Each structure stands twice: as structure tokens, then as C-alpha cells.
Amino acid sequence: MKHSKILLGLLILGVVYACATNPFTGKKTMAFVGNDQLFPSAFAQYNQVKSESKVITGTSDAEMITRVGQRIAAAAERWLVANGHHSYLDDYQWEYTLIQDDQVNAWCMPGGKIAFYTGILPIAANETGVAAIMGHEVVHALANHGQQRMSAAYLQQGLAVAGNVALANDQQALGIFNQSFGVVSNVAGMLPFSRSHETEADKVGLIIMAIAGYNPDEAAELWKRMKANSGSSSTPEFLSTHPSNDSRIETLEALAPKAKEEAAKFGTTSFRPIN
């Protein structure tokens, strides 16, 4: 029991001291892995994905992905500078890649490495739809969501070890703990944690795309198309890392006017035509 208390105390100290401030919320977040370690690893993984994929270059779609990405990155930098985070992007290395793949997917690595799969383009439907996706994915990187998820996973593992040490002399209790810990910690902790990241990326992504000159009203329309594409295969929200499609659409529709108001502060009062 003494050892378990020491281990738990060390975990708590780790959480207290290994924190970073999220520039978009002002809240302290777990940061057990620094960008000096995280970014090089992410860049290496990105290069590996590119080397193993069919990368499309020189087409109108590839040029659009780069154009939208650059506009979103510039808008994010304007927002960060305006809010006092002048050097926040110093270590970011923006890169935009279109990959030939039927997956309905796009992602942004920590440090600004972005990939779009051709399978998502029909659902994006237009450049503004691409901007909605791009804004969402870029915010994942800007808000250090990857760093937070890695840190949460380390904490989850540490708590599992602490539980096993504490219950080492009670085999029945240890068995029950090990059977239930993974499910409970995921459903009550890790999954809501991931859903909160998705919601944050939706909310801030709306603002970033609006500052970049793309109509934030299109984000909800994008997710209506996503919903139609997913059909009846949607996972119940409480068992998912993402909010439900309906929750997402409702949130985006409610926040679009606020995104327009924020964009107006940066001089963006009209938006590019949706085509």
C-alpha cells in the first residue's frame, strides 16, 4: 500500500507539472511529451506515409489542397498573433499532401503535416468544404490534441500500474480491477476526452476558415453530407471518439454566426463563392 501511494503521488505530481496552455481555450492541458520529441517523430511518420502512398501532384485538386491549406495556416497565424502567441508556430513545418485512396479521411500531424485522401473530396464537394475539413484538422495540431492524447494514454497506463500494485495481495479484487479498468477508463475518460477534442476542433476550425475567407455555414452542410455517406453504420456517441453527426451539425449551425463575427474583427466580412 505504501508503494502504491508513492506511485499515485508521483502520477499526480506529473500531471501538475507536465502541463501546457492551450492557446485557444487558455486551459492547462497535459503535456508529458514535448514538441521537441513529438514533432520529429510526427514528421518521420508523415514521410513514411508519403513513401508508402500514391501522392498526387500537379492536378487541380492537389493545387486546391495546397492553396486552401496555406490560407488556413495564414489565418491561424493571424489569430495566434492577435491573441499574443507570436512565436507559437516557429517549429511548425506546414505541408499539404493529396493521396490517392478511397478512404473518406484527412488528418494533420503535430507540427503541421497534412494529408487529404481523394475519397473525401466528393463529400467535401467544393473548396469551401475542403476548407471546413482543413480548418478542423489544423486545429487538432494547433491545440496539441495529439500531445494531449499521448499524455492521457501514459496517465491511463500509470493508473493501471498503480491499481495493480495496490491490489497485489488481493487476487480477487485485482482480477475485477483488471477486467473493468480498461472499459471504464475508456468509456468514462478517454472517449469523452477525444470527443471534446473533436468539438474543440469544430468550433475553432469554424473561426479559422472564416478568417481565411471561407463561409462557415458550409461546415454544417459538409457534415450533413458526411452523415448521408455514413448511412446506418454510425457508432453510438458514448462509445465513439467523435460526437454524433447530429450533435456535430447542431453545434456547427449554432456557432457559424459567432465565427463570422470573429472573422469580421480581422477584416473578413464577405466570403469566397461556394463552387
Side-chain angles (χ1 to χ4, degrees), residues 30-125:
M30 289 184 291
F32 295 153
V33 182
N35 287 343
D36 58 338
Q37 295 176 282
L38 187 62
F39 284 10
S41 175
F43 297 163
Q45 291 178 53
Y46 185 77
N47 289 334
Q48 182 177 348
V49 170
K50 289 198 302 179
S51 70
E52 296 172 351
S53 305
K54 183 179 179 181
V55 174
I56 299 176
T57 60
T59 67
S60 59
D61 283 340
E63 291 169 356
M64 176 183 62
I65 294 300
T66 298
R67 178 174 64 251
V68 173
Q70 289 173 340
R71 287 171 177 170
I72 293 293
E77 183 169 11
R78 290 178 65 195
W79 189 95
L80 287 162
V81 169
N83 286 276
H85 303 282
H86 297 271
S87 60
Y88 191 83
L89 296 176
D90 284 354
D91 296 324
Y92 279 68
Q93 297 180 20
W94 298 107
E95 188 174 350
Y96 318 96
T97 299
L98 179 61
I99 295 174
Q100 181 68 52
D101 195 298
D102 291 337
Q103 291 185 60
V104 179
N105 197 17
W107 42 265
C108 182
M109 284 282 196
K113 301 293 187 178
I114 297 163
F116 266 69
Y117 294 159
T118 54
I120 204 170
L121 295 182
I123 298 172

Side-chain angles (χ1 to χ4, degrees), residues 113-234:
K113 301 293 187 178
I114 297 163
F116 266 69
Y117 294 159
T118 54
I120 204 170
L121 295 182
I123 298 172
N126 51 62
E127 185 167 321
T128 304
V130 169
I133 298 168
M134 187 77 72
H136 174 93
E137 297 301 337
V138 163
V139 170
H140 276 314
L142 295 177
N144 294 324
H145 287 162
Q147 180 188 61
Q148 292 176 49
R149 291 181 189 185
M150 288 181 64
S151 299
Y154 289 149
L155 179 60
Q156 184 184 39
Q157 293 169 10
L159 290 172
V161 171
N164 274 262
V165 171
L167 299 172
N169 296 323
D170 187 339
Q171 291 302 306
Q172 183 178 3
L174 180 61
I176 294 172
F177 173 83
N178 284 326
Q179 287 177 5
S180 62
F181 178 79
V183 174
V184 172
S185 62
N186 279 323
V187 173
M190 297 296 283
L191 294 179
F193 187 60
S194 294
R195 287 197 297 274
S196 71
H197 287 169
E198 293 298 321
T199 300
E200 184 173 282
D202 281 344
K203 292 178 179 178
V204 181
L206 273 184
I207 296 171
I208 299 302
M209 72 177 288
I211 294 172
Y214 293 102
N215 192 334
D217 290 334
E218 181 61 16
E221 299 304 314
L222 165 72
W223 278 99
K224 290 175 184 177
R225 296 192 291 272
M226 288 281 194
K227 178 182 177 181
N229 183 73
S230 66
S232 60
S233 61
S234 181

